[in-house]
Amino acid sequence: MSDDTILVVEDDEDILELLAYNLQGAGFSVVTSRDGFDALQKARRSPPDLVLLDLMLPGLDGFEVCKELKREAKTAQVPVIMLTARGDEVDRIVGLELGADDYVVKPFSPRELMLRVRAVLKRSGPEAREKPVLRQGGLCVDLAAHRAEIDGAEILLTATEFKLLAELFRGQGRVQTRDQLLNTVWGYEFEGYARTVDTHIRRLRQKLGAYARMIETVRGVGYRFKD
């Protein structure tokens, strides 16, 4: 059994029931919503451990819901998996740019979806307490507290962005390929392939500000955190 609560946002009643049934069967607590505004209210009132978010919603679409969740400190670190029939690469990239941690296209396999939910929750969970605090100049990554700071001020990172930064930091001075990062950060073969890593690196650099230069691109290979 799990203590994790999943907020499922889906306007199709049949799909909503299917998702709730499978999540509850996997041991999760489930809160449901059928429109964007209601979903935001529920997330703000009691932040879930993960949001499973459809894109085509009445009132406020999934892109806007994700944008609002990532904008507010209370919900910024809640991981989001987008679930939609819109499988175009541009929609996938937009979703990732807004801070989504994963993107699943309908029709989907319930088993695969549960795998992805568990993988996202695993990388968003608290790190073991014995792990160190990583420092480089004014950049501090506290793995135990799951917190990143620049010159003492916290920067809001999604679960995936934090895991990516930590992984690069741990391998300081060593080139890590996109495939290696997909394996260690995402934990399974991700449908977005290398473009997914590039999108998250771009978002991470934007949030690191002057420290963005610490993440170097090794053309044709991958990325390296400066030693």
Side-chain angles (χ1 to χ4, degrees), residues 2 6 13 25 27-29 53 61-62 65 74 76 103 120 139 153 188 221-223 225-226:
S2 170
I6 314 295
E13 186 174 355
F28 297 107
S29 297
L53 180 64
D61 69 28
V65 172
K74 190 175 181 180
Y103 193 110
V120 171
L139 176 62
Y188 52 86
V221 182
Y223 296 96
F225 197 89
K226 277 188 177 181

PDB file of all heavy atoms in Angstrom, residues 2 6 13 25 27-29 53 61-62 65 74 76 103 120 139 153 188 221-223 225-226:
ATOM      1  N   SER A   2       0.306   2.350  -0.472  1.00  0.00           N
ATOM      2  CA  SER A   2       1.053   3.599  -0.564  1.00  0.00           C
ATOM      3  C   SER A   2       0.297   4.698   0.159  1.00  0.00           C
ATOM      4  O   SER A   2      -0.923   4.686   0.244  1.00  0.00           O
ATOM      5  CB  SER A   2       1.239   3.977  -2.041  1.00  0.00           C
ATOM      6  OG  SER A   2       1.758   5.292  -2.163  1.00  0.00           O
ATOM      7  N   ILE A   6      -2.955  10.772  -5.498  1.00  0.00           N
ATOM      8  CA  ILE A   6      -2.897  11.189  -6.904  1.00  0.00           C
ATOM      9  C   ILE A   6      -4.143  12.000  -7.237  1.00  0.00           C
ATOM     10  O   ILE A   6      -5.268  11.537  -6.992  1.00  0.00           O
ATOM     11  CB  ILE A   6      -2.823   9.971  -7.855  1.00  0.00           C
ATOM     12  CG1 ILE A   6      -1.790   8.949  -7.374  1.00  0.00           C
ATOM     13  CG2 ILE A   6      -2.542  10.423  -9.286  1.00  0.00           C
ATOM     14  CD1 ILE A   6      -0.376   9.430  -7.376  1.00  0.00           C
ATOM     15  N   GLU A  13     -15.619  10.641 -18.394  1.00  0.00           N
ATOM     16  CA  GLU A  13     -16.003   9.881 -17.206  1.00  0.00           C
ATOM     17  C   GLU A  13     -15.486   8.449 -17.231  1.00  0.00           C
ATOM     18  O   GLU A  13     -15.039   7.917 -16.215  1.00  0.00           O
ATOM     19  CB  GLU A  13     -17.531   9.877 -17.065  1.00  0.00           C
ATOM     20  CG  GLU A  13     -18.019   9.228 -15.786  1.00  0.00           C
ATOM     21  CD  GLU A  13     -19.514   9.367 -15.583  1.00  0.00           C
ATOM     22  OE1 GLU A  13     -20.170  10.061 -16.392  1.00  0.00           O
ATOM     23  OE2 GLU A  13     -20.026   8.775 -14.615  1.00  0.00           O
ATOM     24  N   GLY A  25      -6.294   0.309  -7.184  1.00  0.00           N
ATOM     25  CA  GLY A  25      -5.848  -1.072  -7.159  1.00  0.00           C
ATOM     26  C   GLY A  25      -4.351  -1.194  -6.900  1.00  0.00           C
ATOM     27  O   GLY A  25      -3.885  -2.200  -6.363  1.00  0.00           O
ATOM     28  N   GLY A  27      -2.843   0.782  -4.891  1.00  0.00           N
ATOM     29  CA  GLY A  27      -2.615   1.203  -3.511  1.00  0.00           C
ATOM     30  C   GLY A  27      -2.572   2.698  -3.273  1.00  0.00           C
ATOM     31  O   GLY A  27      -2.262   3.140  -2.166  1.00  0.00           O
ATOM     32  N   PHE A  28      -2.891   3.501  -4.300  1.00  0.00           N
ATOM     33  CA  PHE A  28      -2.854   4.949  -4.147  1.00  0.00           C
ATOM     34  C   PHE A  28      -4.202   5.487  -3.674  1.00  0.00           C
ATOM     35  O   PHE A  28      -5.259   4.912  -3.971  1.00  0.00           O
ATOM     36  CB  PHE A  28      -2.500   5.628  -5.476  1.00  0.00           C
ATOM     37  CG  PHE A  28      -1.138   5.288  -5.995  1.00  0.00           C
ATOM     38  CD1 PHE A  28      -0.984   4.436  -7.086  1.00  0.00           C
ATOM     39  CD2 PHE A  28       0.000   5.804  -5.397  1.00  0.00           C
ATOM     40  CE1 PHE A  28       0.270   4.115  -7.577  1.00  0.00           C
ATOM     41  CE2 PHE A  28       1.267   5.492  -5.875  1.00  0.00           C
ATOM     42  CZ  PHE A  28       1.395   4.642  -6.966  1.00  0.00           C
ATOM     43  N   SER A  29      -4.157   6.607  -2.967  1.00  0.00           N
ATOM     44  CA  SER A  29      -5.373   7.360  -2.684  1.00  0.00           C
ATOM     45  C   SER A  29      -5.636   8.251  -3.890  1.00  0.00           C
ATOM     46  O   SER A  29      -4.691   8.791  -4.478  1.00  0.00           O
ATOM     47  CB  SER A  29      -5.196   8.229  -1.432  1.00  0.00           C
ATOM     48  OG  SER A  29      -4.962   7.424  -0.298  1.00  0.00           O
ATOM     49  N   LEU A  53      -2.778  14.577 -15.449  1.00  0.00           N
ATOM     50  CA  LEU A  53      -3.478  15.730 -16.022  1.00  0.00           C
ATOM     51  C   LEU A  53      -3.794  15.564 -17.499  1.00  0.00           C
ATOM     52  O   LEU A  53      -2.897  15.469 -18.340  1.00  0.00           O
ATOM     53  CB  LEU A  53      -2.606  16.976 -15.813  1.00  0.00           C
ATOM     54  CG  LEU A  53      -3.111  18.305 -16.321  1.00  0.00           C
ATOM     55  CD1 LEU A  53      -4.392  18.728 -15.604  1.00  0.00           C
ATOM     56  CD2 LEU A  53      -2.035  19.379 -16.138  1.00  0.00           C
ATOM     57  N   ASP A  61      -7.578  24.636 -19.792  1.00  0.00           N
ATOM     58  CA  ASP A  61      -6.959  23.427 -20.341  1.00  0.00           C
ATOM     59  C   ASP A  61      -5.754  22.997 -19.495  1.00  0.00           C
ATOM     60  O   ASP A  61      -5.283  23.712 -18.610  1.00  0.00           O
ATOM     61  CB  ASP A  61      -6.580  23.611 -21.812  1.00  0.00           C
ATOM     62  CG  ASP A  61      -5.438  24.591 -22.051  1.00  0.00           C
ATOM     63  OD1 ASP A  61      -4.586  24.759 -21.158  1.00  0.00           O
ATOM     64  OD2 ASP A  61      -5.394  25.196 -23.139  1.00  0.00           O
ATOM     65  N   GLY A  62      -5.269  21.793 -19.800  1.00  0.00           N
ATOM     66  CA  GLY A  62      -4.203  21.205 -19.005  1.00  0.00           C
ATOM     67  C   GLY A  62      -2.913  21.991 -19.019  1.00  0.00           C
ATOM     68  O   GLY A  62      -2.190  22.032 -18.019  1.00  0.00           O
ATOM     69  N   VAL A  65      -3.388  24.709 -16.496  1.00  0.00           N
ATOM     70  CA  VAL A  65      -3.374  24.145 -15.144  1.00  0.00           C
ATOM     71  C   VAL A  65      -1.938  23.878 -14.709  1.00  0.00           C
ATOM     72  O   VAL A  65      -1.526  24.233 -13.589  1.00  0.00           O
ATOM     73  CB  VAL A  65      -4.207  22.841 -15.076  1.00  0.00           C
ATOM     74  CG1 VAL A  65      -4.020  22.164 -13.714  1.00  0.00           C
ATOM     75  CG2 VAL A  65      -5.677  23.131 -15.318  1.00  0.00           C
ATOM     76  N   LYS A  74       3.446  26.672  -3.334  1.00  0.00           N
ATOM     77  CA  LYS A  74       2.822  25.561  -2.611  1.00  0.00           C
ATOM     78  C   LYS A  74       2.716  24.301  -3.467  1.00  0.00           C
ATOM     79  O   LYS A  74       2.742  23.179  -2.951  1.00  0.00           O
ATOM     80  CB  LYS A  74       1.439  25.980  -2.126  1.00  0.00           C
ATOM     81  CG  LYS A  74       0.782  24.995  -1.166  1.00  0.00           C
ATOM     82  CD  LYS A  74      -0.533  25.532  -0.643  1.00  0.00           C
ATOM     83  CE  LYS A  74      -1.174  24.561   0.347  1.00  0.00           C
ATOM     84  NZ  LYS A  74      -2.457  25.069   0.882  1.00  0.00           N
ATOM     85  N   ALA A  76       4.507  24.021  -6.673  1.00  0.00           N
ATOM     86  CA  ALA A  76       5.533  24.028  -7.726  1.00  0.00           C
ATOM     87  C   ALA A  76       6.277  22.707  -7.841  1.00  0.00           C
ATOM     88  O   ALA A  76       6.698  22.314  -8.935  1.00  0.00           O
ATOM     89  CB  ALA A  76       6.519  25.170  -7.483  1.00  0.00           C
ATOM     90  N   TYR A 103       4.806  12.542 -20.086  1.00  0.00           N
ATOM     91  CA  TYR A 103       3.759  12.823 -21.065  1.00  0.00           C
ATOM     92  C   TYR A 103       3.336  11.484 -21.652  1.00  0.00           C
ATOM     93  O   TYR A 103       4.127  10.811 -22.304  1.00  0.00           O
ATOM     94  CB  TYR A 103       4.346  13.735 -22.146  1.00  0.00           C
ATOM     95  CG  TYR A 103       3.347  14.393 -23.073  1.00  0.00           C
ATOM     96  CD1 TYR A 103       3.122  15.752 -23.010  1.00  0.00           C
ATOM     97  CD2 TYR A 103       2.666  13.663 -24.033  1.00  0.00           C
ATOM     98  CE1 TYR A 103       2.235  16.378 -23.872  1.00  0.00           C
ATOM     99  CE2 TYR A 103       1.773  14.269 -24.895  1.00  0.00           C
ATOM    100  CZ  TYR A 103       1.561  15.630 -24.812  1.00  0.00           C
ATOM    101  OH  TYR A 103       0.678  16.228 -25.670  1.00  0.00           O
ATOM    102  N   VAL A 120       7.968   8.426 -11.433  1.00  0.00           N
ATOM    103  CA  VAL A 120       7.959   9.863 -11.146  1.00  0.00           C
ATOM    104  C   VAL A 120       7.910  10.102  -9.639  1.00  0.00           C
ATOM    105  O   VAL A 120       8.617  10.965  -9.114  1.00  0.00           O
ATOM    106  CB  VAL A 120       6.771  10.553 -11.848  1.00  0.00           C
ATOM    107  CG1 VAL A 120       6.620  12.001 -11.367  1.00  0.00           C
ATOM    108  CG2 VAL A 120       6.980  10.545 -13.364  1.00  0.00           C
ATOM    109  N   LEU A 139      26.160  27.926  -5.440  1.00  0.00           N
ATOM    110  CA  LEU A 139      25.144  26.938  -5.757  1.00  0.00           C
ATOM    111  C   LEU A 139      25.188  25.809  -4.740  1.00  0.00           C
ATOM    112  O   LEU A 139      26.245  25.199  -4.518  1.00  0.00           O
ATOM    113  CB  LEU A 139      25.356  26.375  -7.163  1.00  0.00           C
ATOM    114  CG  LEU A 139      24.414  25.245  -7.607  1.00  0.00           C
ATOM    115  CD1 LEU A 139      22.963  25.723  -7.638  1.00  0.00           C
ATOM    116  CD2 LEU A 139      24.823  24.722  -8.992  1.00  0.00           C
ATOM    117  N   ALA A 153      19.312  31.747  -1.634  1.00  0.00           N
ATOM    118  CA  ALA A 153      17.897  31.866  -2.004  1.00  0.00           C
ATOM    119  C   ALA A 153      17.452  30.594  -2.717  1.00  0.00           C
ATOM    120  O   ALA A 153      18.118  30.126  -3.658  1.00  0.00           O
ATOM    121  CB  ALA A 153      17.672  33.073  -2.916  1.00  0.00           C
ATOM    122  N   TYR A 188      13.529   4.731 -16.869  1.00  0.00           N
ATOM    123  CA  TYR A 188      12.998   3.786 -17.846  1.00  0.00           C
ATOM    124  C   TYR A 188      13.120   4.425 -19.221  1.00  0.00           C
ATOM    125  O   TYR A 188      13.461   5.595 -19.344  1.00  0.00           O
ATOM    126  CB  TYR A 188      11.524   3.446 -17.577  1.00  0.00           C
ATOM    127  CG  TYR A 188      10.630   4.657 -17.441  1.00  0.00           C
ATOM    128  CD1 TYR A 188      10.057   5.264 -18.547  1.00  0.00           C
ATOM    129  CD2 TYR A 188      10.370   5.205 -16.190  1.00  0.00           C
ATOM    130  CE1 TYR A 188       9.261   6.380 -18.419  1.00  0.00           C
ATOM    131  CE2 TYR A 188       9.569   6.323 -16.057  1.00  0.00           C
ATOM    132  CZ  TYR A 188       9.021   6.900 -17.171  1.00  0.00           C
ATOM    133  OH  TYR A 188       8.235   8.006 -17.028  1.00  0.00           O
ATOM    134  N   VAL A 221      27.373  14.378 -27.818  1.00  0.00           N
ATOM    135  CA  VAL A 221      27.558  13.371 -26.771  1.00  0.00           C
ATOM    136  C   VAL A 221      26.505  13.529 -25.665  1.00  0.00           C
ATOM    137  O   VAL A 221      25.681  12.667 -25.432  1.00  0.00           O
ATOM    138  CB  VAL A 221      28.983  13.424 -26.169  1.00  0.00           C
ATOM    139  CG1 VAL A 221      29.142  12.322 -25.117  1.00  0.00           C
ATOM    140  CG2 VAL A 221      30.004  13.287 -27.259  1.00  0.00           C
ATOM    141  N   GLY A 222      26.584  14.654 -24.967  1.00  0.00           N
ATOM    142  CA  GLY A 222      25.666  14.853 -23.837  1.00  0.00           C
ATOM    143  C   GLY A 222      26.001  16.102 -23.064  1.00  0.00           C
ATOM    144  O   GLY A 222      26.289  17.145 -23.650  1.00  0.00           O
ATOM    145  N   TYR A 223      26.061  15.975 -21.727  1.00  0.00           N
ATOM    146  CA  TYR A 223      26.270  17.145 -20.872  1.00  0.00           C
ATOM    147  C   TYR A 223      27.280  16.833 -19.771  1.00  0.00           C
ATOM    148  O   TYR A 223      27.455  15.680 -19.370  1.00  0.00           O
ATOM    149  CB  TYR A 223      24.940  17.584 -20.240  1.00  0.00           C
ATOM    150  CG  TYR A 223      23.936  18.040 -21.262  1.00  0.00           C
ATOM    151  CD1 TYR A 223      22.969  17.165 -21.751  1.00  0.00           C
ATOM    152  CD2 TYR A 223      23.957  19.343 -21.759  1.00  0.00           C
ATOM    153  CE1 TYR A 223      22.034  17.580 -22.707  1.00  0.00           C
ATOM    154  CE2 TYR A 223      23.042  19.766 -22.714  1.00  0.00           C
ATOM    155  CZ  TYR A 223      22.095  18.884 -23.180  1.00  0.00           C
ATOM    156  OH  TYR A 223      21.186  19.288 -24.130  1.00  0.00           O
ATOM    157  N   PHE A 225      28.818  18.610 -15.958  1.00  0.00           N
ATOM    158  CA  PHE A 225      28.813  19.662 -14.936  1.00  0.00           C
ATOM    159  C   PHE A 225      30.267  20.052 -14.685  1.00  0.00           C
ATOM    160  O   PHE A 225      31.101  19.190 -14.406  1.00  0.00           O
ATOM    161  CB  PHE A 225      28.168  19.143 -13.649  1.00  0.00           C
ATOM    162  CG  PHE A 225      27.750  20.227 -12.707  1.00  0.00           C
ATOM    163  CD1 PHE A 225      26.491  20.808 -12.783  1.00  0.00           C
ATOM    164  CD2 PHE A 225      28.632  20.680 -11.719  1.00  0.00           C
ATOM    165  CE1 PHE A 225      26.118  21.809 -11.920  1.00  0.00           C
ATOM    166  CE2 PHE A 225      28.254  21.668 -10.847  1.00  0.00           C
ATOM    167  CZ  PHE A 225      27.001  22.245 -10.947  1.00  0.00           C
ATOM    168  N   LYS A 226      30.573  21.331 -14.776  1.00  0.00           N
ATOM    169  CA  LYS A 226      31.964  21.786 -14.666  1.00  0.00           C
ATOM    170  C   LYS A 226      32.585  21.367 -13.347  1.00  0.00           C
ATOM    171  O   LYS A 226      31.992  21.455 -12.299  1.00  0.00           O
ATOM    172  CB  LYS A 226      32.025  23.319 -14.767  1.00  0.00           C
ATOM    173  CG  LYS A 226      32.017  23.847 -16.201  1.00  0.00           C
ATOM    174  CD  LYS A 226      32.289  25.338 -16.201  1.00  0.00           C
ATOM    175  CE  LYS A 226      32.361  25.901 -17.623  1.00  0.00           C
ATOM    176  NZ  LYS A 226      32.652  27.345 -17.606  1.00  0.00           N
TER     177      LYS A 226
END
